[in-house]
Amino acid sequence: MGWELINEPKIEPGKFKPWLRETARYLKSLDPNHAVGVAIGGSETEWWRSGSVNWRELDTPELDFIDLHYYADASNYNPVSPANVSNLKDRIRSAMALGKAVIIGEFGCLNTVELETMRNLYRTILDTSFSEGAAGCLFYAWGPPGKNGWGGRGGYDLYTTDGELCRLLKSFQY
């Protein structure tokens, strides 16, 4: 699909954009057939607040897409509350206002919640993202059961048994 230049950067305003432009130009000279993007973390809402000086660093023609991240701890607060859904919509709209394609490149919740809670959360994230014009969504990570799983219970990877995973996937047909 493309190249992600940096994942969840913490930047000093005024220094990131020149690096971004130079690096994107160089990468496109090597591979003109793929898009170039930057991933913006969900935990850095203040850092990457839309309209902020940091956000404006992304306003460059060399950047093709913005990869937004959205995480929720469904066991501690309501990630599908109107305020949280509004925040996700705002982030998508702000990225699109820069003229960039948008993907939700990481999303998830703590995998200790019930499967039905996960399903409702993920359905809300997917429905919201696609209705706002996002080009695609990627779960953070799929984790198989057992000691070789990505992070095991308690992480943000989708860690389910085969039967649970099949039921979850069937509920997300678009």
Side-chain angles (χ1 to χ4, degrees):
M1 180 192 98
W3 295 97
E4 182 180 279
L5 293 181
I6 192 166
N7 185 50
E8 301 182 2
K10 300 276 199 275
I11 63 164
E12 185 175 334
K15 294 188 176 181
F16 184 59
K17 193 174 207 173
W19 175 86
L20 175 67
R21 296 187 80 181
E22 177 184 355
T23 306
R25 278 190 214 120
Y26 178 69
L27 187 55
K28 287 181 176 193
S29 76
L30 299 175
D31 181 5
N33 298 316
H34 291 90
V36 175
V38 174
I40 303 303
S43 62
E44 297 127 355
T45 304
E46 285 304 308
W47 189 266
W48 287 105
R49 187 178 65 256
S50 59
S52 72
V53 65
N54 293 331
W55 190 258
R56 289 190 297 273
E57 294 283 304
L58 303 175
D59 189 9
T60 175
E62 291 83 4
L63 190 65
D64 302 305
F65 70 92
I66 296 176
D67 168 354
L68 299 174
H69 300 171
Y70 182 80
Y71 287 97
D73 182 352
S75 64
N76 291 329
Y77 71 96
N78 181 0
V80 297
S81 72
N84 289 329
V85 170
S86 178
N87 177 274
L88 179 60
K89 287 179 179 181
D90 178 58
R91 290 168 58 90
I92 293 169
R93 290 174 186 163
S94 295
M96 292 178 74
L98 294 174
K100 311 300 177 198
V102 176
I103 63 169
I104 308 302
E106 292 181 20
F107 72 94
C109 69
L110 285 176
N111 63 23
T112 54
V113 300
E114 296 296 321
L115 187 63
E116 190 61 30
T117 302
M118 263 189 208
R119 181 179 292 120
N120 291 336
L121 169 66
Y122 292 157
R123 171 66 65 202
T124 299
I125 293 170
L126 291 167
D127 288 348
T128 300
S129 298
F130 291 133
S131 71
E132 291 300 317
C137 296
L138 304 168
F139 289 96
Y140 169 67
W142 297 102
K147 65 181 181 178
N148 293 322
W150 232 89
R153 287 286 184 197
Y156 284 90
D157 53 315
L158 189 57
Y159 178 82
T160 64
T161 65
D162 291 339
E164 287 174 328
L165 181 57
C166 290
R167 286 191 303 278
L168 186 64
L169 288 174
K170 286 178 183 177
S171 71
F172 295 142
Q173 294 177 8
Y174 280 89

